[in-house]
Amino acid sequence: KRGFIQCTGRRKIHAYVVKKRRSTLTFLRFFDILCMIALFFSTYFVCHLILCIRIHNGKNNNIRTFTIEMEVKTMNIASLEKTCRAVRRDIINLTADAASGHPGGSLSSVEIMVTLFFDKMNIDPADPKMENRDRFVLSKGHAAPCYYGVLAERGFFGKEQFKSFRQINGILQGHPDVKKCPGVDASTGSLGQGISMAVGMALGARLAKNGAKVYTLLGDGELQEGQVWEAAMAAAHYKLDNLTVIIDYNGLQIDGTNDQVMSLGNISDKFTAFGFQVIEVADGNNLQQISDALDVAVTGKPKCILAHTVKGKGVSYMENQVGWHGKGPNEEERQIALKELEDEA
């Protein structure tokens, strides 16, 4: 009888312990879920919120009110817009001083290149040859004035080097020279070749497993080169999802409109047929639209961003004028442009 009572008591105790343990586990699971949710949202806000703290003096001088404003932005648009104006002034000064160069296609590319170099790419001006850096290839090499302006504003070299633009032995040649200019990853200028180099870089980065991304910027007239499509075919064949091809689609080239010289047809459909994920940007001179397109994640295939831009953007007398493809402004024209490109008060 005593054994029976003891056994029954143990069963009751065991049942109580099991019940208690189950309720504790349920609570812990619920608590874990809450922690995971909290961690997710805290991480999101840390990564995507820009925290602006403004201090206002109250009526009592000894009292200060702290107002915290949180803006959900992936980048400071106002700051980048200011940088874009600075780069456009650089383009005007470079081409005016040299009395030559390509201002039209440089001005149309500004927002694309500023977004890349100031917000997206893993680069370090203090270590321009960093092994695992992201790579950029200016396939439309004649837009070098934009490239040099961006690199100078980013800190790769000082603006005193602008005097060497298109000068013998200068580091800023008429087209980018990888052996002379810090921050340049490929010598370009012969249209169609830059995208081929970018494909090789992307394939090399994959083999090296260094996580590097590769970006290349092409002009729309450049798409008339057959080599572009050979490179596109190879990029899709090797499933280079670390490669982003950006088209500066301003509709003009040296001899006229694209349709007058050699109609390009539906560019989006062409790159799609070649195996790319295509993102079309309605306003390629809008920083947010460019940023959003660059942020689109693509797996198993290369990405193509078709950015509709304005040739000569930012300078009223150059906008949509084919004559500004390849000539520098005179002094009067320089001053008019610089006046239009002044920073807003």
Side-chain angles (χ1 to χ4, degrees), residues 132-149:
N132 65 335
R133 71 189 185 280
D134 291 338
R135 266 68 168 182
F136 175 79
V137 179
L138 183 64
S139 196
K140 48 174 288 183
H142 56 277
C146 179
Y147 202 177
Y148 299 151

Side-chain angles (χ1 to χ4, degrees), residues 102 142 191 220-221 224 250-262 311 321-326:
H102 298 78
H142 56 277
L191 296 178
D220 46 6
Q224 295 159 357
N250 58 47
L252 298 174
Q253 54 192 103
I254 190 169
D255 292 325
T257 67
N258 298 151
D259 287 339
Q260 288 172 335
V261 179
M262 181 69 69
K311 193 152 191 164
Q321 299 299 312
V322 70
W324 286 104
H325 175 87

